[in-house]
PDB file of all heavy atoms in Angstrom:
ATOM      1  N   GLN A 215      21.758  63.566-123.187  1.00  0.00           N
ATOM      2  CA  GLN A 215      22.822  62.616-122.874  1.00  0.00           C
ATOM      3  C   GLN A 215      23.111  62.564-121.376  1.00  0.00           C
ATOM      4  O   GLN A 215      22.995  63.572-120.685  1.00  0.00           O
ATOM      5  CB  GLN A 215      24.091  63.024-123.613  1.00  0.00           C
ATOM      6  CG  GLN A 215      23.901  63.175-125.111  1.00  0.00           C
ATOM      7  CD  GLN A 215      25.121  63.767-125.785  1.00  0.00           C
ATOM      8  OE1 GLN A 215      26.213  63.229-125.675  1.00  0.00           O
ATOM      9  NE2 GLN A 215      24.938  64.878-126.481  1.00  0.00           N
ATOM     10  N   PHE A 216      23.494  61.377-120.931  1.00  0.00           N
ATOM     11  CA  PHE A 216      23.984  61.233-119.558  1.00  0.00           C
ATOM     12  C   PHE A 216      25.242  60.376-119.594  1.00  0.00           C
ATOM     13  O   PHE A 216      25.397  59.504-120.445  1.00  0.00           O
ATOM     14  CB  PHE A 216      22.918  60.650-118.629  1.00  0.00           C
ATOM     15  CG  PHE A 216      22.461  59.260-118.976  1.00  0.00           C
ATOM     16  CD1 PHE A 216      22.955  58.154-118.294  1.00  0.00           C
ATOM     17  CD2 PHE A 216      21.521  59.052-119.984  1.00  0.00           C
ATOM     18  CE1 PHE A 216      22.527  56.874-118.605  1.00  0.00           C
ATOM     19  CE2 PHE A 216      21.079  57.771-120.299  1.00  0.00           C
ATOM     20  CZ  PHE A 216      21.586  56.676-119.605  1.00  0.00           C
ATOM     21  N   MET A 217      26.146  60.644-118.679  1.00  0.00           N
ATOM     22  CA  MET A 217      27.452  59.993-118.681  1.00  0.00           C
ATOM     23  C   MET A 217      27.504  58.900-117.616  1.00  0.00           C
ATOM     24  O   MET A 217      27.077  59.096-116.481  1.00  0.00           O
ATOM     25  CB  MET A 217      28.545  61.046-118.440  1.00  0.00           C
ATOM     26  CG  MET A 217      29.957  60.550-118.698  1.00  0.00           C
ATOM     27  SD  MET A 217      31.164  61.941-118.761  1.00  0.00           S
ATOM     28  CE  MET A 217      30.991  62.439-120.486  1.00  0.00           C
ATOM     29  N   VAL A 218      28.011  57.725-118.018  1.00  0.00           N
ATOM     30  CA  VAL A 218      28.125  56.584-117.113  1.00  0.00           C
ATOM     31  C   VAL A 218      29.538  56.021-117.206  1.00  0.00           C
ATOM     32  O   VAL A 218      30.227  56.214-118.215  1.00  0.00           O
ATOM     33  CB  VAL A 218      27.115  55.478-117.471  1.00  0.00           C
ATOM     34  CG1 VAL A 218      25.679  55.960-117.318  1.00  0.00           C
ATOM     35  CG2 VAL A 218      27.338  54.946-118.883  1.00  0.00           C
ATOM     36  N   PHE A 219      29.973  55.326-116.152  1.00  0.00           N
ATOM     37  CA  PHE A 219      31.270  54.666-116.265  1.00  0.00           C
ATOM     38  C   PHE A 219      31.142  53.419-117.127  1.00  0.00           C
ATOM     39  O   PHE A 219      31.726  53.321-118.189  1.00  0.00           O
ATOM     40  CB  PHE A 219      31.838  54.295-114.890  1.00  0.00           C
ATOM     41  CG  PHE A 219      33.135  53.544-114.995  1.00  0.00           C
ATOM     42  CD1 PHE A 219      34.303  54.222-115.296  1.00  0.00           C
ATOM     43  CD2 PHE A 219      33.184  52.161-114.841  1.00  0.00           C
ATOM     44  CE1 PHE A 219      35.506  53.538-115.450  1.00  0.00           C
ATOM     45  CE2 PHE A 219      34.364  51.469-114.993  1.00  0.00           C
ATOM     46  CZ  PHE A 219      35.535  52.158-115.292  1.00  0.00           C
ATOM     47  N   HIS A 220      30.335  52.465-116.675  1.00  0.00           N
ATOM     48  CA  HIS A 220      30.131  51.219-117.423  1.00  0.00           C
ATOM     49  C   HIS A 220      28.823  51.326-118.208  1.00  0.00           C
ATOM     50  O   HIS A 220      27.795  51.703-117.639  1.00  0.00           O
ATOM     51  CB  HIS A 220      30.071  50.038-116.440  1.00  0.00           C
ATOM     52  CG  HIS A 220      29.866  48.713-117.090  1.00  0.00           C
ATOM     53  ND1 HIS A 220      30.794  48.125-117.909  1.00  0.00           N
ATOM     54  CD2 HIS A 220      28.807  47.855-117.050  1.00  0.00           C
ATOM     55  CE1 HIS A 220      30.336  46.961-118.329  1.00  0.00           C
ATOM     56  NE2 HIS A 220      29.130  46.774-117.827  1.00  0.00           N
ATOM     57  N   PRO A 221      28.814  50.992-119.500  1.00  0.00           N
ATOM     58  CA  PRO A 221      27.627  51.228-120.329  1.00  0.00           C
ATOM     59  C   PRO A 221      26.510  50.208-120.120  1.00  0.00           C
ATOM     60  O   PRO A 221      26.128  49.468-121.029  1.00  0.00           O
ATOM     61  CB  PRO A 221      28.190  51.148-121.754  1.00  0.00           C
ATOM     62  CG  PRO A 221      29.333  50.187-121.639  1.00  0.00           C
ATOM     63  CD  PRO A 221      29.957  50.468-120.290  1.00  0.00           C
ATOM     64  N   ALA A 222      25.936  50.206-118.912  1.00  0.00           N
ATOM     65  CA  ALA A 222      24.879  49.255-118.582  1.00  0.00           C
ATOM     66  C   ALA A 222      23.496  49.731-118.996  1.00  0.00           C
ATOM     67  O   ALA A 222      22.557  48.937-119.037  1.00  0.00           O
ATOM     68  CB  ALA A 222      24.892  48.968-117.075  1.00  0.00           C
ATOM     69  N   TRP A 223      23.346  51.030-119.300  1.00  0.00           N
ATOM     70  CA  TRP A 223      22.017  51.611-119.439  1.00  0.00           C
ATOM     71  C   TRP A 223      21.597  51.846-120.890  1.00  0.00           C
ATOM     72  O   TRP A 223      20.773  52.700-121.184  1.00  0.00           O
ATOM     73  CB  TRP A 223      21.950  52.916-118.626  1.00  0.00           C
ATOM     74  CG  TRP A 223      22.174  52.665-117.170  1.00  0.00           C
ATOM     75  CD1 TRP A 223      23.370  52.667-116.500  1.00  0.00           C
ATOM     76  CD2 TRP A 223      21.183  52.309-116.209  1.00  0.00           C
ATOM     77  NE1 TRP A 223      23.184  52.341-115.181  1.00  0.00           N
ATOM     78  CE2 TRP A 223      21.843  52.125-114.965  1.00  0.00           C
ATOM     79  CE3 TRP A 223      19.797  52.151-116.261  1.00  0.00           C
ATOM     80  CZ2 TRP A 223      21.172  51.774-113.808  1.00  0.00           C
ATOM     81  CZ3 TRP A 223      19.119  51.802-115.108  1.00  0.00           C
ATOM     82  CH2 TRP A 223      19.804  51.608-113.890  1.00  0.00           C
ATOM     83  N   GLY A 224      22.170  51.070-121.813  1.00  0.00           N
ATOM     84  CA  GLY A 224      21.881  51.255-123.225  1.00  0.00           C
ATOM     85  C   GLY A 224      20.432  50.999-123.602  1.00  0.00           C
ATOM     86  O   GLY A 224      19.817  51.791-124.318  1.00  0.00           O
ATOM     87  N   TYR A 225      19.853  49.884-123.147  1.00  0.00           N
ATOM     88  CA  TYR A 225      18.459  49.582-123.477  1.00  0.00           C
ATOM     89  C   TYR A 225      17.516  50.578-122.805  1.00  0.00           C
ATOM     90  O   TYR A 225      16.503  50.979-123.392  1.00  0.00           O
ATOM     91  CB  TYR A 225      18.097  48.155-123.050  1.00  0.00           C
ATOM     92  CG  TYR A 225      18.879  47.084-123.778  1.00  0.00           C
ATOM     93  CD1 TYR A 225      19.749  46.243-123.091  1.00  0.00           C
ATOM     94  CD2 TYR A 225      18.740  46.906-125.155  1.00  0.00           C
ATOM     95  CE1 TYR A 225      20.468  45.257-123.755  1.00  0.00           C
ATOM     96  CE2 TYR A 225      19.456  45.922-125.826  1.00  0.00           C
ATOM     97  CZ  TYR A 225      20.326  45.101-125.121  1.00  0.00           C
ATOM     98  OH  TYR A 225      21.043  44.132-125.779  1.00  0.00           O
ATOM     99  N   PHE A 226      17.850  50.983-121.596  1.00  0.00           N
ATOM    100  CA  PHE A 226      17.066  51.998-120.898  1.00  0.00           C
ATOM    101  C   PHE A 226      17.078  53.295-121.704  1.00  0.00           C
ATOM    102  O   PHE A 226      16.034  53.915-121.944  1.00  0.00           O
ATOM    103  CB  PHE A 226      17.650  52.221-119.505  1.00  0.00           C
ATOM    104  CG  PHE A 226      16.929  53.241-118.667  1.00  0.00           C
ATOM    105  CD1 PHE A 226      15.884  52.858-117.833  1.00  0.00           C
ATOM    106  CD2 PHE A 226      17.304  54.578-118.685  1.00  0.00           C
ATOM    107  CE1 PHE A 226      15.220  53.793-117.053  1.00  0.00           C
ATOM    108  CE2 PHE A 226      16.642  55.520-117.914  1.00  0.00           C
ATOM    109  CZ  PHE A 226      15.595  55.119-117.096  1.00  0.00           C
ATOM    110  N   ALA A 227      18.282  53.699-122.141  1.00  0.00           N
ATOM    111  CA  ALA A 227      18.413  54.940-122.914  1.00  0.00           C
ATOM    112  C   ALA A 227      17.655  54.853-124.235  1.00  0.00           C
ATOM    113  O   ALA A 227      16.948  55.791-124.632  1.00  0.00           O
ATOM    114  CB  ALA A 227      19.889  55.238-123.163  1.00  0.00           C
ATOM    115  N   ASP A 228      17.785  53.726-124.924  1.00  0.00           N
ATOM    116  CA  ASP A 228      17.099  53.559-126.208  1.00  0.00           C
ATOM    117  C   ASP A 228      15.579  53.622-126.037  1.00  0.00           C
ATOM    118  O   ASP A 228      14.874  54.199-126.862  1.00  0.00           O
ATOM    119  CB  ASP A 228      17.480  52.220-126.843  1.00  0.00           C
ATOM    120  CG  ASP A 228      18.912  52.193-127.339  1.00  0.00           C
ATOM    121  OD1 ASP A 228      19.515  53.284-127.474  1.00  0.00           O
ATOM    122  OD2 ASP A 228      19.437  51.093-127.587  1.00  0.00           O
ATOM    123  N   THR A 229      15.087  53.021-124.953  1.00  0.00           N
ATOM    124  CA  THR A 229      13.640  52.976-124.727  1.00  0.00           C
ATOM    125  C   THR A 229      13.061  54.362-124.507  1.00  0.00           C
ATOM    126  O   THR A 229      11.949  54.665-124.961  1.00  0.00           O
ATOM    127  CB  THR A 229      13.318  52.084-123.508  1.00  0.00           C
ATOM    128  OG1 THR A 229      13.794  50.758-123.762  1.00  0.00           O
ATOM    129  CG2 THR A 229      11.817  52.019-123.248  1.00  0.00           C
ATOM    130  N   TYR A 230      13.831  55.234-123.843  1.00  0.00           N
ATOM    131  CA  TYR A 230      13.279  56.538-123.445  1.00  0.00           C
ATOM    132  C   TYR A 230      13.928  57.716-124.170  1.00  0.00           C
ATOM    133  O   TYR A 230      13.847  58.856-123.729  1.00  0.00           O
ATOM    134  CB  TYR A 230      13.372  56.689-121.924  1.00  0.00           C
ATOM    135  CG  TYR A 230      12.606  55.569-121.252  1.00  0.00           C
ATOM    136  CD1 TYR A 230      13.259  54.556-120.563  1.00  0.00           C
ATOM    137  CD2 TYR A 230      11.212  55.488-121.394  1.00  0.00           C
ATOM    138  CE1 TYR A 230      12.540  53.505-120.000  1.00  0.00           C
ATOM    139  CE2 TYR A 230      10.497  54.444-120.836  1.00  0.00           C
ATOM    140  CZ  TYR A 230      11.162  53.452-120.149  1.00  0.00           C
ATOM    141  OH  TYR A 230      10.451  52.399-119.615  1.00  0.00           O
ATOM    142  N   GLY A 231      14.571  57.433-125.312  1.00  0.00           N
ATOM    143  CA  GLY A 231      15.058  58.502-126.178  1.00  0.00           C
ATOM    144  C   GLY A 231      16.252  59.252-125.642  1.00  0.00           C
ATOM    145  O   GLY A 231      16.431  60.442-125.948  1.00  0.00           O
ATOM    146  N   LEU A 232      17.094  58.573-124.856  1.00  0.00           N
ATOM    147  CA  LEU A 232      18.285  59.206-124.289  1.00  0.00           C
ATOM    148  C   LEU A 232      19.532  58.611-124.930  1.00  0.00           C
ATOM    149  O   LEU A 232      19.459  57.696-125.739  1.00  0.00           O
ATOM    150  CB  LEU A 232      18.321  58.991-122.775  1.00  0.00           C
ATOM    151  CG  LEU A 232      17.074  59.414-121.997  1.00  0.00           C
ATOM    152  CD1 LEU A 232      17.184  58.970-120.543  1.00  0.00           C
ATOM    153  CD2 LEU A 232      16.858  60.915-122.088  1.00  0.00           C
ATOM    154  N   LYS A 233      20.687  59.127-124.540  1.00  0.00           N
ATOM    155  CA  LYS A 233      21.956  58.581-125.003  1.00  0.00           C
ATOM    156  C   LYS A 233      22.925  58.492-123.826  1.00  0.00           C
ATOM    157  O   LYS A 233      23.176  59.486-123.147  1.00  0.00           O
ATOM    158  CB  LYS A 233      22.570  59.463-126.092  1.00  0.00           C
ATOM    159  CG  LYS A 233      23.884  58.907-126.659  1.00  0.00           C
ATOM    160  CD  LYS A 233      24.596  59.916-127.534  1.00  0.00           C
ATOM    161  CE  LYS A 233      23.845  60.152-128.824  1.00  0.00           C
ATOM    162  NZ  LYS A 233      24.598  61.042-129.736  1.00  0.00           N
TER     163      LYS A 233
END
Side-chain angles (χ1 to χ4, degrees):
Q215 305 172 57
F216 63 100
M217 192 167 275
V218 297
F219 177 76
H220 180 66
W223 298 90
Y225 296 116
F226 180 90
D228 289 344
T229 300
Y230 301 110
L232 306 172
K233 182 191 290 185

